[in-house]
Amino acid sequence: MPSEFFNTSEVLEAILETIDEGIHVIDPKGQTIFYNGVAANHDGMKRSEVLGKPLLEAFPSLNHKSSTLLRVIKSEKPIYNYSQSYVNAHGRIIETLNTTLPIYVDGFMIGAIEIAKDYSSLKQLSERLADLESSLKTIKSPERKTAGNGGLYSFTEILTCDKGFKGLISQGKKAARSTSSVLVYGESGVGKELFVQSIHQESSRSKEPFIAQNCAALPESLLESLLFGTAKGSYTGAVERQGLFELANGGTLFLDELQSMPIDLQAKLLRVLEDGFIRRIGGTKSVQVNVRIMAAMNIDPKKAVSENRLRPDLFYRLNVLSYELPPLRERIDDIELLSEHFISIFNSKLGLSIKGMDKKTKDYFRKYHWPGNVRELKHTLEFMMNHTENDVLNLEDLPQFLKKRNPSEKLLPLREAMIEMETKLITEALLQTNGNVFQASKLLQIPRQTLQYKIKKHI
């Protein structure tokens, strides 16, 4: 069909309908002017019950303070990744993760748009996980590899011939005799969880729970309730539930990617480290817990502090026992040692009898940068052993993306590459608009406030 038969509003509406996220748009008076099918499914509503109606009429459990859309209309400021719990007009509890933005045309705010993700299932899954952890905690077994304590590794399973890494293992064994908190940092894939599990296994807490939680995996409110637990009635549908601090009582709580934990939540973590008391969300009673905190980060903690991703006081509290695990490219001799180990594992797992790697492949492995470290090495060998037709691995067995790479070429970390590209685009937009932030934001198709934030952060 010729393009002249389409108009802009029809095309825009068709695009918004195809997006696999809930889209809800209101005008400055709080009346819904767009509401896609995904949003209706999330909210358990019919579109006719919401479209064209005042927001608070369609969702009577909300008010001007609890509605993210109405808050943005009032403040004219965006809200990012905010979890919202409310009851729809049919009495069903709805939980979404929202990013809500003001809409501007020619410098005037004409409404607000909300992009919502349904995380009810994610929340239920995390709560089931907490319940499972609680039930497994009661399991007692003299065996090391049990579901009861969650610990799977010990120092004997850390393979290295690197002198520096051996020194770190020796320090880790000494840390096992302590009760102080532990901070481990290093690139992704170097074995940080293996290291902290080994400390736990060597410690007097080895028969008690080892519970791990990735701080980047959940939105703030869900992470907080998972860590601290909830009191009945603290929010819509809340029940009495133990958090991970209580479930790990007597043992170890491992917090991975600590720099991703929101700053406000870091303050609560610091208080637990200082006095050993936690309070469930919405509760009034404080409970004392005996938990050893171990944390891991995939960036240098000093850099995280300078970027306001880690509280300085929390860093100093954790920095008593801190260990930087070296990347695989700095442990050249470990590459062959670990390769032989993984080949042995996959021979047994896949029913093969691969004898090893030829010299060219060994040389390639020694020169390659290994940005994914030990994890990448393991997955590469698994791929090669699944595809080889020979009894000795060679360069032809490499994954396609590795065949095309110069082994000495360094891969820029994704975060740094994105920041570099973002800074370049923003600078170009500002040059084209003679420094006019509003015009630059239109050129980049992002909200003006978002652009101002990025300019302050990167330029």
Side-chain angles (χ1 to χ4, degrees):
M1 186 179 290
S3 59
E4 59 264 24
F5 285 94
F6 297 104
N7 62 54
T8 303
S9 62
E10 287 176 339
V11 172
L12 179 59
E13 184 170 338
I15 291 171
L16 293 177
E17 280 296 341
T18 62
I19 294 175
D20 191 26
E21 290 182 341
I23 308 293
H24 192 164
V25 183
I26 63 172
D27 64 19
K29 294 181 180 180
Q31 184 165 306
T32 297
I33 56 177
F34 183 83
Y35 188 65
N36 73 353
V38 176
N41 288 334
H42 285 178
D43 294 337
M45 301 282 283
K46 296 178 181 178
R47 297 177 68 180
S48 60
E49 295 176 309
V50 179
L51 198 56
K53 294 181 171 56
L55 182 71
L56 298 186
E57 180 182 315
F59 300 96
S61 69
L62 293 174
N63 55 47
H64 284 85
K65 290 184 178 180
S66 60
S67 166
T68 43
L69 276 165
L70 293 178
R71 282 166 55 188
V72 166
I73 288 292
K74 183 177 180 180
S75 68
E76 298 189 23
K77 295 179 180 179
I79 298 173
Y80 297 100
N81 297 322
Y82 184 86
S83 58
Q84 192 170 36
S85 179
Y86 51 94
V87 178
N88 70 7
H90 307 295
R92 175 180 156 191
I93 299 171
I94 308 298
E95 288 164 310
T96 56
L97 183 65
N98 306 333
T99 290
T100 315
L101 309 166
I103 303 172
Y104 291 93
V105 173
D106 296 329
F108 295 97
M109 189 187 72
I110 63 163
I113 181 171
E114 185 158 271
I115 302 96
K117 297 179 180 179
D118 179 11
Y119 79 90
S120 299
S121 55
L122 177 61
K123 187 171 186 292
Q124 290 170 5
L125 182 61
S126 69
E127 290 176 347
R128 288 175 186 170
L129 175 61
D131 290 340
L132 181 61
E133 293 277 13
S134 181
S135 63
L136 291 178
K137 185 180 176 183
T138 63
I139 299 174
K140 298 295 180 181
S141 170
E143 296 296 325
R144 180 180 66 80
K145 291 190 177 182
T146 66
N149 69 2
L152 296 175
Y153 298 102
S154 65
F155 284 117
T156 58
E157 294 169 272
I158 300 180
L159 302 180
T160 183
C161 53
D162 181 79
K163 184 178 178 180
F165 205 1
K166 285 182 176 180
L168 282 174
I169 292 172
S170 178
Q171 292 176 30
K173 290 179 178 179
K174 292 177 182 178
R177 302 198 294 262
S178 171
T179 59
S180 299
S181 301
V182 172
L183 177 62
V184 179
Y185 60 99
E187 296 177 7
S188 295
V190 296
K192 296 185 289 293
E193 182 165 358
L194 188 154
F195 193 81
V196 297
Q197 283 192 6
S198 298
I199 294 175
H200 171 83
Q201 291 291 64
E202 194 97 356
S203 74
S204 59
R205 298 172 181 259
S206 60
K207 293 183 180 180
E208 298 300 328
F210 177 93
I211 296 177
Q213 176 59 48
N214 189 304
C215 298
L218 299 170
E220 179 177 358
S221 61
L222 186 50
L223 178 60
E224 183 178 8
S225 64
L226 188 61
L227 290 174
F228 293 93
T230 56
K232 187 175 182 179
S234 56
Y235 59 85
T236 306
V239 297
E240 289 288 342
R241 188 182 299 277
Q242 286 184 316
L244 298 185
F245 277 107
E246 291 180 76
L247 295 174
N249 195 27
T252 300
L253 178 59
F254 172 52
L255 300 174
D256 199 5
E257 296 194 58
L258 181 67
Q259 78 280 358
S260 298
M261 179 182 286
I263 293 293
D264 290 344
L265 196 49
Q266 289 183 25
K268 295 186 178 182
L269 171 61
L270 180 62
R271 285 199 293 272
V272 178
L273 287 168
E274 295 289 352
D275 61 25
F277 284 89
I278 64 103
R279 182 182 298 172
R280 293 183 185 179
I281 306 302
T284 57
K285 180 183 177 182
S286 294
V287 178
Q288 188 169 24
V289 291
N290 173 22
V291 178
R292 187 178 192 183
I293 300 296
M294 297 192 193
M297 302 174 61
N298 53 23
I299 65 171
D300 189 304
K302 291 181 181 178
K303 181 180 180 182
V305 170
S306 68
E307 294 178 352
N308 297 317
R309 300 169 67 188
L310 180 69
R311 289 177 61 101
D313 46 7
L314 180 58
F315 166 62
Y316 296 129
R317 182 67 177 77
L318 290 171
N319 200 41
V320 178
L321 294 175
S322 65
Y323 307 95
E324 181 180 10
L325 302 191
L328 185 58
R329 62 184 171 275
E330 294 179 8
R331 300 185 277 133
I332 299 296
D333 292 335
D334 280 352
I335 294 173
E336 189 168 346
L337 175 67
L338 289 166
S339 295
E340 292 173 354
H341 171 67
F342 291 136
I343 288 172
S344 176
I345 288 176
F346 291 124
N347 269 334
S348 177
K349 184 177 179 181
L350 302 173
L352 301 174
S353 54
I354 303 297
K355 297 176 182 178
M357 301 183 292
D358 65 15
K359 187 179 184 302
K360 288 184 178 180
T361 306
K362 288 179 181 179
D363 290 343
Y364 183 99
F365 274 33
R366 290 178 70 87
K367 292 177 182 178
Y368 181 54
H369 191 63
W370 295 112
N373 293 290
V374 179
R375 184 183 295 122
E376 183 183 7
L377 174 64
K378 180 180 179 181
H379 291 166
T380 297
L381 285 165
E382 183 175 10
F383 175 92
M384 294 173 73
M385 292 181 67
N386 270 291
H387 289 81
T388 188
E389 298 292 338
N390 309 301
D391 58 0
V392 175
L393 299 176
N394 59 56
L395 293 177
E396 288 302 310
D397 299 317
L398 286 170
Q400 193 63 31
F401 79 95
L402 282 182
K403 290 179 182 178
K404 297 179 179 179
R405 287 183 61 84
N406 180 336
S408 302
E409 179 185 348
K410 291 186 177 181
L411 183 67
L412 192 66
L414 179 61
R415 179 178 173 80
E416 291 182 21
M418 291 176 67
I419 291 173
E420 183 179 297
M421 178 58 70
E422 192 173 74
T423 303
K424 181 179 179 181
L425 291 172
I426 290 173
T427 302
E428 180 63 28
L430 290 171
L431 287 172
Q432 288 187 29
T433 58
N434 295 318
N436 187 307
V437 175
F438 177 70
Q439 292 299 326
S441 70
K442 291 178 65 177
L443 193 62
L444 294 168
Q445 299 181 27
I446 60 174
R448 176 169 51 87
Q449 291 92 336
T450 301
L451 178 58
Q452 288 173 330
Y453 169 78
K454 291 180 181 294
I455 291 171
K456 184 178 180 181
K457 185 176 181 181
H458 299 315
I459 299 178

